[in-house]
Structures are given as structure tokens and as C-alpha cells.
Amino acid sequence: MRTVKKQPQPRRWHILVFILPAFLIYTVFAIYPIVESLRLSLYQSIPSAQGTGTTAEFAGLANYMRLWGEPYWAEQFWNALKNNFLLFAMHMLIQNPIALALAALVSIPTLKGAATYRTIFFLPTLLSVVIVGFIWQLILSPLWGITPDFMKWLGIREWFKPWLGLESTALVTVTLISIWQYVGIPLMLFYAGLLNIPEETIEAARIDGLNGWWIFWKVKLPLILPALGVVAILTYIGNFTASFDIIYTLQGGLAGPDYSTDVMGTFLFRTFFGFQSQLGDTYMGATVASVLFFIILVGVAIYLFGVQRRLQRYDF
Amino acid sequence: MASLTRKLERGRAGLSSLGIHAILIAYSVLALFPLYLILLNSFKSRRGIFGDPAGLPNESTFSTKGYQSVITNSDFPLYFGNSLVVTGVALFFILLFGAMAAHALSEYDFPGSTFIGLYLILGIMVPIRLGTVALLKLIVDLNLANTLTALILVYTAQGLPVAIFIFSEFLKNVSHEIKDSARIDGLSEYRIFFEVVIPLVRPVIATVAVFSMIPIWNDLWFPLILSPGESTRTVTLGVQKFVGQYTVDWGAVLAALSVAVVPVLFMYIIFSKQLIRGITAGAVKG
Amino acid sequence: MLRFAAEEEIMKVATNKNIASGLLLAGVTCAGFLAPLYAADLSIESWRTDDQAIWDEKILPAFKAAYPDINVSFAPSKPTEYDASLNAKLEGGTAGDLITCRPFDRALKLYEQGHLADIKGMSGLENFSDVAKAAWSTDNGDATFCVPMAAVIHGFMYNKDAFAELGLEVPKTEEEFYSVLDKIKEDGSYIPMAMGTKDQWEAATMGYSNIGPAYWNGEEGRLGLIDGSASFSDEGFLKAFEQMAKWKDYLGDGYQAQTYTDSQNLFTLGRAAIYPTGSWEITGFQQNSDFELGAFAPPKASADSKCYISDHTDIGIGMNANAKENDAAMKFLEWAASAEFADLLTNASPGFFSLSTHEINVENPLAKEFFEMRAECDPTIRLTYQILSRGEPVLSNHMWVLNANVINGTMTPAEAAAEAQENIDTWHKKP
């Protein structure tokens, strides 16, 4: 925690200069349109008096009642939310440890080819989700032989399943593909955190007689806890927003089979913009979006006011 | 008890450098194999892609039709130019304005700073895509429809919250002694930001740059809505001509998107250099 | 200011170079004023990215020849993004003047929101049957908002070489159909049928809606569901679901993860013998397969029952209610109702058949095979598109899930039928 208070200055215009550009662009081109859209969650569409067209009428919390009250909406909502938390758990337990381990290894100062490794690990992140989806469907396809042949070579062909098409395995498979693509992002954040550790701190530990493994656990890890916090919260947010693209590409708008890969992102997209014969519903879409917003807000608040404060104690 | 731990710590050897390389190479193979397949298949005809996806192209399946349609299509250089301008300029604004705002929030105490800090990161929590209709109306009112400016403004607004959030987290760790001694030396607040703080957080800037640029470069939605005109089309929008309702020209899609990766890869490598410089800067500081 | 600059430019040329070229330039400038004073620019919103070349090279030049002062451009967007992006552009006022219409509720909603103009009185609309117009009219028929453009016909395509090799005859009845499938399966050199459930929609569209009309007697069953006299648990609808459960045994290994693209390639690479589909595949398949393609109509329920095809009203074209070039857009729509357009479209994009009553000579042999099914079989449209898809979840989409589940074996035909009926019961009032 910071203890040194800045001495008050008479005019601190520079604060305004620092904040204003971001504040303005962000308010006009992000907050205004979003608020304009979320506002509609309090409205419903009714046929207008003239016979053609519809008008929006204030409806209070009626849309929210529908979302949690009507089985059609409630089932989709809870199913998507459950899948989102599964997705989050898997990313936290698989993606982030892998990213941390790889970051720790490539940040070893004496390692040869570290930059090459980093570039390789980051390459999948640069790809458009369209080709990622296509190539993994091709790799995992039961028809074209890449995985089945490989497993045959290993002698475990009978374990092959059409994973992306089975309710029991589709979500896990999609998650692993997502991890493959995005592991580079937490890796970069951990790496930046590890680079920020002063060399003399590590030197001191080494003089103390600790070897590489223990330096990592006892010295580096506590020091990059803030980065760990950032990664955790970005994983949490990304799992609600960014996960949409990969699922929409791999499993389609109905997030099959039988909605087993449906997450808030796909549910929201279907509701808001429509999908195939389903028409977009701006009002219910705004309602789902608002609820999603609050779910994320709660997570961020827990982080900012709970976790982050505790992490700061480790600051040197 | 303490001595036992100490013994354990000394006794247990770290991973040998051979072991480390083995792990890193294993993961590299996993990361690269699908990319290898993408490249391989981008040089094959449709028959080759599905007939034998892992096989090398042979005389009957080799085809550069995909690349030809990208390279000989006179529009693609324009699309690349548009994508580069949009991504580059938006990225510049995100980094500059994001770092400035984050610096102000973590450096100065002023009334409402917590509130403004929270406000500026709210945007992470809702995809801006939901505000599309209001955004389009706004862009039309400002007479910016079918311009690259519209895209730059929207992407800047979209990228700022994450940038500010990450910058704030890292800027908190910048030592106060350095800034205070600069103040004593008589540097203005602006010079402290540009000459002291920015060089110190270079690796973070590079990190934010790298993952702010990817969603901008790969986005299809806003180009489709805000600037679908022929002269303002971006690469991702240009590629969609290969994606039909029933027939997708996968060879061309793979080729076009493989080519589309090259500029971002270059940008990544440039920013990546900053990470290395960051280490050296840190050493000097120490 | 600008004018001054231009004059100065001419002066410069005249003095610095030679006078002749200066005069020439002035001449060109004058000639510019003599050209038509005004040309209207129209842009067509569409999801048919596949058709860009057809419009650019065949259809639009023909229109331009008839109306030289109207420039039309065809500006499709990716099919999966079309509806959402079109909606945003209509709301924002940047959509094109001409709009390609999806059938029934999706276009109806655009009309109700005031985005599509009513064109009921337009001359040329009399060239379309009421069934065709129904897809783009209000329920009571008071308003029509799109000119019917094209229909697609469902059926099966098959590998003629494979059939010859195995000595198979084209099946006409359900019994023959399964006996053909059994023979292919027994032989083992081909996968009997190329279809997967990964993308779900094939199950409902190429499966259920394709073969079903034979069991629910086409329009009779469809209209029965709408007026409430029929139910999904009736024998016909249930039987169609039972067919889907039977199909499972004839699909390739791992069909649960087989995508639509996979199925297309499985068939065109010659690994599968039969492909349940529709006429929209013709162009792509003819380009990509190196064996002879044939088509057959959905099998009849029994030897003495009728033959039915799903002849689906798929594409229409309407006018943006806030069109900037009203008159020009109307001219285009009138032209789209002409015999010339009907012939151009049907022959330029084989498999998309004009919905007009003009007589058309279908040139493509495979398209002709589909086209001729119209003479033998009673037509109907996809079961759930008209009115029935107004519940929650939308029945057309829900049928994807139900049929995929039935084929995957995670749901019985009776359960699927019950769930489909429950869907209608929740909102559709019986008379």
C-alpha cells in the first residue's frame, strides 16, 4: 500500500490532460452505445397504434422476470452459465498453469532460443478463429484420418471418439482448442511480470543457496502474484465475452450437440442478433447482456476489493 | 525443521537445461503442428485437402490457386493497407491514451479517482458489439460512415479498458523514489511520464500492444457494418468473398488468412524486441 | 474556387504545352456535360456470396442493357452475418436500396419494422402464384413486400458410377430406398449416405423436411399443423422421425462430428454413394466431382402412394422502405418479375429455380432432373417455416436439435415428436 502522499499542487491540469483523451473517446464510442443498448432491457416491443411497425414501451423489470421465470429462457440461461463456469475452471486449471510454466522456463536468462520459443507459443494467438476452427475440425475429424491414424500408430485407435460431436466431450474439446490458441496471452503477462523482478532479488536468493526450482516457488511466484491476479480476472472476463468466437465457429450458433457447448456469449448472440429462423430480439438481448454485465462486474469487484488488496501486500 | 527445508531446497536439483529444452520443444510441436497443416493445405486443391489432409502436396493436388487469387486480386493490397492503417493508428491511440490515463490514476490522488478508474474499465464487461445500432447511427451523424476513421475510433474505444486495466496493475509497481527524484530534479509531470515512466514499463506496453492488436486485426463485424465500401474494406472482410452459403473455397481461405497473419507476425516481432530492451533497461536501472 | 482551379489547369496546359491538347481537354470537359445528367446507383444486399460472379457477369449486365441510366451493384455479406448486419444497417440508415429477402418471418419482421416497402400493386407480381407470394406477404395477404425470386427443390443426389458398379437401381419407394442402402453397406466400398449431425441443420433440412412430406401428405399435413387439425404425434410426422432414427445405420463412422463441409467432400470425393440434399448444391458439386451425378426424388411411402417434394420458396427481393432511389429500385423489381430475369437466374445459377409462372427452359441436365420432379410430385414447402416458427424456441431451429438428437440416438422419435408438438401447443391456439 502506498503511504507517501503527494504534496498538493495548486493547479493540476496535467491530470486532466492525461485522462481526458481516453475518457472522451471511450465515453462516446463505447459507453454511450452500450448504455443506449442496455437501456432497452427495461422496455418491451408492442405493435404500434397505426397498425404497422412497433414501438418500445417501458416495462420495468418484466424482461428480467421472463429471463428467470419462463422455462425456455431460464433453462438456456442456467445451462449457459454452468458451461461458462466449467470453461473458466478449465482455463484456470489447465491454461494458466501451462502458461506460467512456459513463461517461467522461457524467462530463464541463460536459456538459448528463448525469443524463438516465445514467438512459437504466441503464433496460434495471432490466427483468425476461422482457420483455427477449420484446422482443428480437420485434425479431429473421424473422416479424414489425421487423429485416427495417429492413434492407430500409437495402438490406441479404439479410444478415438468423434469428440466435437458428443454431448459428453464437446465442451472439453472446444476448451482445449481455445487453450491451444490463447495460451500465449497469459504467457505474455506472466513473462512481463517475471521480467519486472529485479535481478538483485534473485541474486540474493541464489547467494542464500536456493536453486532454480525453489527460487521460482519462494521468490518469483510471490512477486508475480499481481500478474496472476490480472490473468485470473482477464480469464474470467474473457470466458464470458471472448469465448463466443471459438464456440460460434466450431459448434455453430446453436452450440450443439443439444446446446452442450452453449455459453453466455452464444446465448446472447442468438437472442440479440437472432440465428437462422430465430429473429433477433433487442429487448431480451439487452436483458441477457445486462445480466452478463452484472455477473462480470461482481467478479471484477471481488477481485478489485478482495483479492487485489491482499496481493498488494506482497509488493516490495 | 527449518534446516530440513533448507536441506531439501539445496538437495533438489532444478531442471537440467536439456530437460527444459525437451519440454519447450514438445510444446512447440503441439503449437506448430496445426500451423504446419494450415500452410501445407493452403498449397493444395480441395481434393488434396480432404483427400489426404496431412500429406504433402503432389503433382495432382498441388495448387497455388488460393495465393494467386489473393496476390493477383488487385484489391488485396488495398485491403492490407486499410487493415494496417486501422490497426496501427488504433493501437497507437490505445497505448498512448491508455498509458496516460492509467498513469494519472495510479500516480495522483484526486477526488473521484477510484470512480473514474472503475468507469474506465467497465467497457471490458460488455462486448461493444451490442451497441452496434447506436454506434452506427452516431457514425452516420458524424458523417463517418464508410471511413477508416470510424473503425479507428471504435477500436480505440474498445481497446482502452483492457489497456488501462493492465497498465494500472503494472504501473502501481513502478518505484516512487525514481519519480520523486525526477520531481526534485525539476522535471514536469509530462516529462516524468514520457521520459521516466514509459521507458520503465516498456515490456508491459509491448504486452498490451500485442494483444490489443489481434482482435482489431481479425475483426469482421465492425468493418462489415461501419465501412463495407469497396475502398475501405479490410482483409478479413475481403476474405469473406471466399466463404459462400453452401460452398467454401477453403484453399483460398487458408491462403488468404495465412498471408493475413504475416503483418501481425511482424508487429509481434517488433513489440517482442521491446521485451528484450525492457530487460536491459531494467538492468541499467538496477 | 474549384472551377477557377480547373480553368487555371486548362490555361496552364494551353500555354505551357500546345494549344491543341488544351482544346482537346476542353472538348472532353464539354462532352462530359452532354452525357446523361443523372445516373441512379443501387446496391443489392444479399447473403449469396456464392453468386457474386453470376450477378456481376450475367444478370446485372442484362439489366444495364435495358436500363443504361441505372447502376446496380451486388454487395453480399457472409451468410452467417447477413441478417444481423442487414438489421443494423437498416436501423442506421446505411443499407442498400434493394434487399434480398429470406422467406416468411424474417422478411415479415423487416416489413413490420417498416424497413421493407409494400409492393403489392407492382406490375409483374401477377406472374407469381399465391403460394410463391405467400412467403413474402403478411398472414392476411394484405401486403406483399418482396418479389419471389427463387425456389430450391429437395431430393437426393447419387454417384451414378457407384450405382452402376454395384448394379443398383434408383429407388422409388421407401422399401427400395432401404434395400439400396443395405446393398451399399453390405458391399462396403462406399459409405451409403453422406450426412453428419455436427452442424445439426442437415438433419432437419436434408433429412426430415426432405423425406417427410411423403408421410404427412405434403401440404395437407403442413396446413393441418397450422390450423390445428394435425399433431406432430400423428402417424405421418412420427414416421418421418422414425426414418431419421433408421438413417443412423447408413451414415459414416463418427457422423456425430461430421460437418456439412465434411459431408460435401465425402460425397464429391467419391467415398459416399448417396447424398441427401437439394438443388442448391448443383453448381458446387458439378465443379468438384469427377464422377457422373444423378438425382432422385424423395422415396414414396409405398408403391401406390403419391410422391411429394419440398419445393421451398427460398429467395425474394424487395425494396428498402427508405430507399434513396425509389423509382430506380422499383424498375429493378419490375424487371426481376420479367421472363428475361426468370430465365437468366434459373440458367445462370442452376438449382435456384425461378418462382414465376413464365415458361423456362432449364439447360443444366442435373438441374433439369430436379426441375422435372415438379411434374411428377406434389410440391410443398419446408414444414415449419410458415407461421409454425413463432414459439419459443423457434421451431425451425429446434427441429435441427430434435432431428440431430434422434439420429444421434439421444432421443427417441416419439420423444422428439412430443417435444415438437409441445412447442406449438404453448402458443398456437387451436380454432
Side-chain angles (χ1 to χ4, degrees), chain A residues 2 4-7 9 12-15 17-19 21-23 25-34 36-38 98 102 105-106 108 111-113 115 117-132 134-136 138-139 144-146 179-180 183 185 188-189 191-193 195-196 198 200 208-214 218 226-227 229-230 233-234 237 241 244-245 268-269 272-273 285 289 292-293 296-297 300 303-305 308 312 315, chain B residues 5-6 8-15 20-21 23-25 27-28 30-35 37-38 41 49-51 53-54 97-98 100-101 103-110 114 116 118-132 134-135 138-139 142 153-154 156-157 160-162 164-166 169-170 172-173 176 180 183 189-190 193 200 203-204 206-207 210-211 213-214 218 221 250 253-254 257-258 261 264-265 268-269 272 275-276 279 286:
Chain A
R2 191 142 25 103
V4 188
K5 279 270 171 246
K6 301 280 109 49
Q7 47 278 63
Q9 288 162 314
R12 300 196 293 167
W13 287 110
H14 52 271
I15 299 181
V17 174
F18 280 134
I19 290 185
F23 185 86
I25 294 186
Y26 169 78
T27 304
V28 175
F29 294 98
I31 292 297
Y32 159 73
I34 290 174
E36 190 60 20
S37 169
L38 293 191
I98 291 177
L102 294 176
L105 294 180
V106 294
I108 294 172
L111 187 84
K112 288 208 177 69
Y117 284 126
R118 261 191 299 117
T119 309
I120 291 173
F121 300 158
F122 204 76
L123 269 173
T125 313
L126 298 175
L127 295 179
S128 146
V129 79
V130 175
I131 25 179
V132 172
F134 173 75
I135 209 68
W136 276 102
L138 195 70
I139 293 173
W144 314 115
I146 298 179
I179 291 172
W180 174 83
V183 77
I185 287 178
M188 287 279 285
L189 285 166
Y191 184 72
L195 288 188
N196 271 351
E200 58 266 34
D208 252 12
L210 295 193
N211 66 32
W213 183 262
W214 284 95
K218 297 223 133 172
V230 173
I233 198 64
L234 287 180
I237 296 167
T241 54
F244 163 77
D245 288 306
L268 172 59
F269 185 86
F272 200 102
F273 294 107
L292 180 60
F293 171 73
I296 299 176
L297 190 64
V300 174
Y303 166 76
L304 285 179
F305 299 108
Q308 194 200 35
Q312 302 281 301
D315 278 8
Chain B
T5 324
R6 185 56 56 96
L8 271 173
E9 286 168 6
R10 285 218 186 99
R12 181 140 173 215
L15 284 165
I20 291 171
H21 279 290
I23 295 172
L24 293 176
I25 288 171
Y27 195 85
S28 300
L30 181 64
L32 289 179
F33 178 66
L35 302 180
L37 282 181
I38 292 169
N41 284 304
I49 297 176
F50 291 97
F97 297 156
M100 276 162 51
H103 170 69
L105 290 169
S106 50
E107 178 64 17
Y108 311 112
D109 289 315
F110 58 94
T114 315
I116 292 179
L118 264 179
Y119 172 78
L120 285 175
I121 60 167
L122 282 183
I124 314 178
M125 301 171 211
V126 194
I128 195 172
R129 197 176 167 147
L130 295 179
T132 300
L135 205 51
L138 182 70
I139 294 292
L142 293 173
L153 287 168
V154 172
T156 306
L160 276 171
V162 186
I164 291 174
F165 176 67
I166 295 171
E169 295 301 300
F170 282 91
K172 277 176 193 144
N173 298 338
H176 287 285
D180 287 338
R183 272 191 196 100
E189 292 299 323
Y190 304 108
F193 172 70
L200 282 177
V204 183
T207 312
V210 162
F211 63 82
M213 77 184 176
I214 302 163
N218 285 334
W221 180 252
W250 281 112
V253 172
L254 291 180
L257 291 178
S258 300
V261 168
V264 260
L265 182 60
Y268 167 80
I269 290 169
S272 193
L275 289 176
I276 312 294
I279 307 174

Side-chain angles (χ1 to χ4, degrees), chain B residues 95-253:
Chain B
L95 296 177
L96 178 66
F97 297 156
M100 276 162 51
H103 170 69
L105 290 169
S106 50
E107 178 64 17
Y108 311 112
D109 289 315
F110 58 94
S113 65
T114 315
F115 173 77
I116 292 179
L118 264 179
Y119 172 78
L120 285 175
I121 60 167
L122 282 183
I124 314 178
M125 301 171 211
V126 194
I128 195 172
R129 197 176 167 147
L130 295 179
T132 300
V133 170
L135 205 51
L136 178 61
K137 284 183 178 157
L138 182 70
I139 294 292
V140 171
D141 288 344
L142 293 173
N143 233 338
L144 289 174
N146 274 323
T147 63
L148 298 179
T149 315
L151 292 177
I152 290 168
L153 287 168
V154 172
Y155 290 138
T156 306
Q158 178 182 266
L160 276 171
V162 186
I164 291 174
F165 176 67
I166 295 171
F167 278 136
S168 307
E169 295 301 300
F170 282 91
L171 285 172
K172 277 176 193 144
N173 298 338
V174 173
S175 128
H176 287 285
E177 287 89 68
I178 300 178
K179 284 179 274 189
D180 287 338
S181 69
R183 272 191 196 100
I184 291 162
D185 287 350
L187 262 65
S188 75
E189 292 299 323
Y190 304 108
R191 286 186 64 189
I192 289 175
F193 172 70
F194 284 107
E195 289 169 25
V196 179
V197 177
I198 291 276
L200 282 177
V201 293
R202 221 185 219 138
V204 183
I205 294 177
T207 312
V208 173
V210 162
F211 63 82
S212 299
M213 77 184 176
I214 302 163
I216 302 178
W217 184 267
N218 285 334
D219 184 45
L220 173 68
W221 180 252
F222 286 114
L224 186 62
I225 306 287
L226 300 179
S227 46
E230 184 60 38
S231 62
T232 51
R233 219 166 269 186
T234 59
V235 176
T236 35
L237 199 55
V239 171
Q240 74 165 351
K241 74 169 72 160
F242 302 122
V243 182
Q245 186 183 11
Y246 300 112
T247 47
V248 179
D249 187 350
W250 281 112
V253 172

Side-chain angles (χ1 to χ4, degrees), chain C residues 156-171:
Chain C
F156 292 81
M157 287 200 207
Y158 68 100
N159 182 333
K160 275 193 177 168
D161 297 358
F163 267 51
E165 188 188 321
L166 304 178
L168 300 170
E169 292 276 322
V170 168

Side-chain angles (χ1 to χ4, degrees), chain C residues 200-222:
Chain C
Q200 304 190 90
W201 71 280
E202 303 104 296
T205 314
M206 277 104 117
Y208 196 80
S209 274
N210 184 3
I211 53 108
Y215 303 95
W216 61 71
N217 298 332
E219 285 295 274
E220 188 189 319
R222 189 179 75 84

